[in-house]
Amino acid sequence: MHSSNAARAAQTVHPVPGFGSDEMERVADQTLKRYTFDGSSVRKLGRGVSIVWFRNDLRILDNEVLFKAWVSSEAVLPVSSKNLWHYTLLWFSQNWSLMKRGLNLLIQPGKPEQILPSLAKAFGVHTIYAQKETCSEELNVERRVSENLKKVMLTSPAKLELIWGSTMYHIDDLPFSCTPLPDIYTQFRKSVESKSVIRSCVKVSKGMAFAGGESAALSRVHEYFWKKDLLRTYKVTRNGMLGPDYSTKFSPWLASGSLSPRFVYEEVKRYEKQREANDSTYWVLFELIWRDYFRFLSIKQGNSLFHTGGPRKVQTNWSQNQTLFDAWRDGQTGYPLVDANMKELLATGFMSNRGRQIVCSFLVRDMGIDWRMGAEWFETCLLDYDPCSNYGNWTYGAGVGNDPREDRYFSIPKQAQNYDPDGEFVAYWLPQLRALPKEKRHFPGMLYVKPIVALKFGNTKSTNNRTMGSGSRRTSTEENSKWKRHDRNRMQ
């Protein structure tokens, strides 16, 4: 993060949720009380030591991985191998009393296939419990962990037990396997809504401790649904771009696993029962089903999700012009709506759903740049990154995914008129535009950076010729990457 962007973020970004630590703790405690039971009877047969390998399930409430480890063992060692700074902050920023509450989390950055077998040997572990993932890099890590556990010299070899989580609908409750999963989202949604039942949240047993990031997650749900009563208008406001409350902002906690989608579902249903059921309350669930769909699709599509032609193997002569890409990445395209969104991403690690669609369309439709370069930059920056949703959405935007509308084009002038008519968003992130009349903020002419390319449907002039080429990223052996990911590795 550049220092100027960091300073701007510190001065202008609203905290989400807008609670202090004491209030977050209070909300979290109240929520957990509703999901707590006396689990002493189910734990009587537990023996020995188990490890909970936290991956993308950093929570206590509705965590079947943690619950199974707890009921099967006398002692549980929670372990995280994440080495990303924002995930470390997510754990500890709101709960410095973690050890006082009994959960002595071991954060040991490194390769899980080396760390976990070593810990299993040191503590005589019988089982390592972890959430099952779906994409190739994570599956390869799971395989290597299992293989290395077999090499550990123990009286009884430790095993890796993988448990499904992260989705609202459980994979075992789908009305089909993932192989014949519908290629169209609407078909998937209608089928699961009519034929599948969402399981209840796994309750918290008395004596379990509380994880740091979860308090903020539960507080945000309480704030958005109950305190500010914003759920009733979600569908109306969800396409906003400025401020903390136009959308739920649940995505970073859902991605890290600090928030259970089934808990969100149950809170929506509680809200509908106690206050109001309308299009907005349903639309939160509609979006969660999208999230499920991308997760299940990743099982069906495998590594094609990361290939240049996507799941449909579309042949496109994408450009990898680095000058154009750098202008997009740095928010220097000459189009304020694109630039403001990219500067928000760089400064905060977040971008609105509307903004993501706009900048994706501009990169692939107006610039003609390889969509995977954009997806990789999002992977580097987003706090709510997960491979299934990120690459699933980018394949849709690039016209290589399971979308019947192949050419999704977002017109910059139309998007600006519909979603930022007064230029408030662009002026917020581009201070040089604040003094301009509202009607000139999106197209300030010579008062702003000269547009680097012409719009596909517009009358601006290009200042840079495209250089067409081909290449690929993180794919099978028949597709060789032209660039290396140097910012960070995918989280495990």
Side-chain angles (χ1 to χ4, degrees):
M1 184 183 298
H2 299 308
S3 59
S4 60
N5 286 324
R8 184 187 303 122
Q11 293 172 2
T12 61
V13 175
H14 301 281
V16 179
F19 292 165
S21 58
D22 290 343
E23 189 171 4
M24 272 194 271
E25 198 72 13
R26 179 183 59 78
V27 170
D29 287 343
Q30 291 176 348
T31 303
L32 284 175
K33 285 179 181 178
R34 293 190 287 110
Y35 285 88
T36 300
F37 79 110
D38 185 354
S40 58
S41 60
V42 299
R43 202 188 186 196
K44 289 181 178 178
L45 298 179
R47 293 289 184 271
V49 179
S50 65
I51 286 177
V52 170
W53 171 23
F54 282 112
R55 304 176 83 186
N56 293 316
D57 52 344
L58 306 179
R59 66 179 183 273
I60 300 298
L61 195 156
D62 194 32
N63 191 329
E64 191 169 355
V65 171
L66 185 57
F67 182 77
K68 284 197 171 183
W70 186 79
V71 299
S72 69
S73 314
E74 292 178 289
V76 176
L77 175 61
V79 177
S80 174
S81 61
K82 293 180 180 293
N83 57 3
L84 303 180
W85 67 268
H86 60 264
Y87 280 98
T88 303
L89 289 176
L90 188 61
W91 270 103
F92 289 110
S93 61
Q94 300 299 338
N95 190 5
W96 292 101
S97 60
L98 195 65
M99 292 179 63
K100 181 181 70 175
R101 294 188 176 211
L103 183 58
N104 192 357
L105 175 69
L106 174 61
I107 296 182
Q108 192 165 342
K111 295 183 178 180
E113 59 266 36
Q114 297 174 356
I115 295 168
L116 295 171
S118 176
L119 291 173
K121 182 177 181 179
F123 290 93
V125 169
H126 60 77
T127 307
I128 296 175
Y129 295 91
Q131 179 175 279
K132 176 67 177 173
E133 293 293 338
T134 61
C135 293
S136 59
E137 292 182 3
E138 289 80 4
L139 295 179
N140 286 335
V141 172
E142 292 172 4
R143 175 182 53 79
R144 292 194 293 268
V145 169
S146 292
E147 290 175 351
N148 288 349
L149 282 175
K150 295 175 183 177
K151 302 174 184 178
V152 174
M153 300 301 294
L154 292 170
T155 304
S156 178
K159 63 179 180 178
L160 175 64
E161 183 170 333
L162 298 169
I163 300 166
W164 185 262
S166 81
T167 55
M168 187 165 64
Y169 287 97
H170 195 284
I171 191 171
D172 293 340
D173 299 333
L174 298 180
F176 31 65
S177 69
C178 288
T179 302
L181 195 80
D183 287 331
I184 306 299
Y185 167 72
T186 302
Q187 297 172 1
F188 170 82
R189 175 180 59 80
K190 289 181 177 179
S191 183
V192 295
E193 285 181 330
S194 62
K195 299 177 183 178
S196 300
V197 175
I198 297 172
R199 298 183 181 186
S200 298
C201 289
V202 176
K203 291 190 175 182
V204 180
S205 298
K206 290 180 180 178
M208 280 191 175
F210 188 69
E214 190 173 16
S215 59
L218 298 178
S219 295
R220 176 56 179 174
V221 175
H222 175 80
E223 177 185 50
Y224 190 86
F225 284 11
W226 303 102
K227 183 177 182 178
K228 294 185 176 180
D229 201 23
L230 297 171
L231 178 55
R232 70 173 70 243
T233 58
Y234 168 75
K235 191 178 181 183
V236 178
T237 64
R238 66 191 174 91
N239 279 312
M241 292 188 286
L242 187 61
D245 291 334
Y246 60 81
S247 66
T248 67
K249 303 296 191 301
F250 294 165
S251 59
W253 292 291
L254 286 167
S256 69
S258 297
L259 181 64
S260 161
R262 293 194 300 212
F263 171 72
V264 177
Y265 168 81
E266 292 187 2
E267 285 294 277
V268 168
K269 291 303 176 182
R270 188 163 75 96
Y271 182 96
E272 289 179 335
K273 184 177 181 180
Q274 296 183 13
R275 292 191 181 177
E276 180 182 353
N278 60 19
D279 287 347
S280 288
T281 59
Y282 169 72
W283 215 255
V284 170
L285 303 182
F286 178 90
E287 301 289 4
L288 286 175
I289 298 173
W290 259 115
R291 183 176 174 275
D292 279 12
Y293 184 56
F294 280 133
R295 177 61 60 112
F296 296 130
L297 271 181
S298 70
I299 299 175
K300 176 179 180 177
Q301 296 170 344
N303 272 352
S304 68
L305 190 64
F306 312 108
H307 293 179
T308 182
R312 294 194 298 112
K313 299 179 175 62
V314 179
Q315 297 297 314
T316 304
N317 193 23
W318 296 109
S319 166
Q320 290 180 2
N321 184 306
Q322 194 65 44
T323 300
L324 293 181
F325 176 76
D326 289 350
W328 176 84
R329 180 196 63 197
D330 297 335
Q332 295 290 331
T333 68
Y335 295 95
L337 188 59
V338 174
D339 295 346
N341 274 289
M342 297 307 295
K343 288 185 182 299
E344 179 187 29
L345 174 64
L346 188 62
T348 70
F350 188 82
M351 187 189 295
S352 68
N353 179 62
R354 177 59 48 179
R356 297 182 201 203
Q357 295 178 84
I358 291 169
V359 301
C360 170
S361 174
F362 182 82
L363 183 75
V364 301
R365 305 297 180 194
D366 293 310
M367 284 185 155
I369 297 294
D370 191 328
W371 65 270
R372 294 162 304 158
M373 295 174 73
E376 184 175 277
W377 182 242
F378 271 33
E379 177 178 348
T380 300
C381 295
L382 285 173
L383 289 173
D384 61 10
Y385 169 76
D386 84 71
C388 307
S389 294
N390 184 57
Y391 284 88
N393 275 304
W394 272 93
T395 61
Y396 266 65
V400 299
N402 294 340
D403 188 351
R405 293 175 290 177
E406 296 181 12
D407 192 8
R408 281 182 175 266
Y409 183 76
F410 286 75
S411 164
I412 299 298
K414 184 177 180 181
Q415 295 295 310
Q417 181 181 5
N418 289 346
Y419 300 106
D420 191 31
D422 294 329
E424 292 182 2
F425 174 75
V426 297
Y428 189 89
W429 289 104
L430 304 170
Q432 63 269 44
L433 301 180
R434 293 174 188 170
L436 297 182
K438 294 179 179 180
E439 63 272 14
K440 289 187 175 294
R441 287 174 175 174
H442 283 284
F443 293 95
M446 299 300 293
L447 299 175
Y448 187 62
V449 179
K450 191 175 182 179
I452 196 167
V453 295
L455 295 177
K456 184 176 181 181
F457 299 109
N459 56 9
T460 54
K461 294 182 180 180
S462 172
T463 62
N464 198 327
N465 293 326
R466 294 180 183 177
T467 302
M468 302 306 292
S470 62
S472 68
R473 165 204 185 280
R474 194 185 77 175
T475 58
S476 57
T477 54
E478 64 267 19
E479 288 194 287
N480 296 316
S481 176
K482 289 180 66 176
W483 62 89
K484 301 288 186 180
R485 284 176 298 159
H486 54 80
D487 295 283
R488 67 172 176 85
N489 292 324
R490 280 258 314 279
M491 56 188 175
Q492 305 296 342

Short mmCIF file of all heavy atoms in Angstrom, two decimals, residues 111-118 141 144-145 148:
data_model
loop_
_atom_site.label_atom_id
_atom_site.label_comp_id
_atom_site.label_asym_id
_atom_site.label_seq_id
_atom_site.Cartn_x
_atom_site.Cartn_y
_atom_site.Cartn_z
N LYS A 111 4.71 -23.98 5.82
CA LYS A 111 4.00 -24.96 5.02
C LYS A 111 3.26 -25.94 5.94
O LYS A 111 3.89 -26.60 6.78
CB LYS A 111 4.97 -25.72 4.12
CG LYS A 111 5.63 -24.84 3.07
CD LYS A 111 6.54 -25.66 2.17
CE LYS A 111 7.15 -24.77 1.08
NZ LYS A 111 8.04 -25.54 0.18
N PRO A 112 1.95 -26.06 5.79
CA PRO A 112 1.19 -26.97 6.65
C PRO A 112 1.70 -28.40 6.60
O PRO A 112 1.68 -29.11 7.62
CB PRO A 112 -0.24 -26.87 6.08
CG PRO A 112 -0.29 -25.55 5.41
CD PRO A 112 1.07 -25.33 4.85
N GLU A 113 2.18 -28.85 5.43
CA GLU A 113 2.64 -30.23 5.31
C GLU A 113 3.90 -30.50 6.12
O GLU A 113 4.24 -31.67 6.37
CB GLU A 113 2.87 -30.59 3.84
CG GLU A 113 3.89 -29.73 3.11
CD GLU A 113 3.26 -28.56 2.37
OE1 GLU A 113 2.27 -28.00 2.89
OE2 GLU A 113 3.78 -28.21 1.29
N GLN A 114 4.58 -29.45 6.55
CA GLN A 114 5.74 -29.61 7.42
C GLN A 114 5.37 -29.35 8.88
O GLN A 114 5.81 -30.08 9.78
CB GLN A 114 6.85 -28.64 6.98
CG GLN A 114 7.39 -28.91 5.59
CD GLN A 114 8.37 -27.86 5.12
OE1 GLN A 114 8.61 -26.87 5.82
NE2 GLN A 114 8.95 -28.04 3.94
N ILE A 115 4.57 -28.32 9.11
CA ILE A 115 4.22 -27.92 10.48
C ILE A 115 3.34 -28.96 11.16
O ILE A 115 3.61 -29.37 12.30
CB ILE A 115 3.50 -26.56 10.45
CG1 ILE A 115 4.44 -25.48 9.95
CG2 ILE A 115 2.95 -26.21 11.82
CD1 ILE A 115 3.75 -24.18 9.61
N LEU A 116 2.28 -29.39 10.50
CA LEU A 116 1.29 -30.26 11.15
C LEU A 116 1.84 -31.63 11.53
O LEU A 116 1.62 -32.10 12.65
CB LEU A 116 0.05 -30.38 10.27
CG LEU A 116 -0.72 -29.06 10.08
CD1 LEU A 116 -1.79 -29.22 9.01
CD2 LEU A 116 -1.34 -28.62 11.40
N PRO A 117 2.55 -32.33 10.65
CA PRO A 117 3.13 -33.61 11.07
C PRO A 117 4.10 -33.46 12.24
O PRO A 117 4.16 -34.32 13.12
CB PRO A 117 3.84 -34.11 9.81
CG PRO A 117 3.10 -33.48 8.68
CD PRO A 117 2.75 -32.12 9.20
N SER A 118 4.88 -32.37 12.24
CA SER A 118 5.81 -32.14 13.34
C SER A 118 5.07 -31.96 14.66
O SER A 118 5.46 -32.53 15.70
CB SER A 118 6.66 -30.90 13.05
OG SER A 118 7.50 -30.60 14.13
N VAL A 141 -2.13 -29.38 -0.96
CA VAL A 141 -1.64 -29.25 0.41
C VAL A 141 -2.25 -30.35 1.28
O VAL A 141 -1.55 -30.98 2.09
CB VAL A 141 -1.96 -27.86 0.98
CG1 VAL A 141 -1.64 -27.81 2.48
CG2 VAL A 141 -1.17 -26.78 0.26
N ARG A 144 -0.46 -33.57 0.61
CA ARG A 144 0.89 -33.64 1.19
C ARG A 144 0.86 -33.78 2.71
O ARG A 144 1.70 -34.47 3.30
CB ARG A 144 1.69 -32.40 0.77
CG ARG A 144 2.02 -32.36 -0.71
CD ARG A 144 3.10 -31.31 -1.01
NE ARG A 144 2.63 -29.97 -0.77
CZ ARG A 144 2.06 -29.19 -1.70
NH1 ARG A 144 1.88 -29.65 -2.93
NH2 ARG A 144 1.69 -27.96 -1.40
N VAL A 145 -0.11 -33.14 3.35
CA VAL A 145 -0.26 -33.30 4.80
C VAL A 145 -0.54 -34.76 5.13
O VAL A 145 0.08 -35.35 6.04
CB VAL A 145 -1.37 -32.39 5.35
CG1 VAL A 145 -1.70 -32.77 6.80
CG2 VAL A 145 -0.96 -30.93 5.28
N ASN A 148 2.59 -36.94 4.60
CA ASN A 148 3.64 -36.74 5.62
C ASN A 148 3.22 -37.26 6.99
O ASN A 148 4.07 -37.64 7.79
CB ASN A 148 4.00 -35.26 5.70
CG ASN A 148 4.79 -34.80 4.47
OD1 ASN A 148 5.24 -35.62 3.67
ND2 ASN A 148 4.95 -33.50 4.33
#
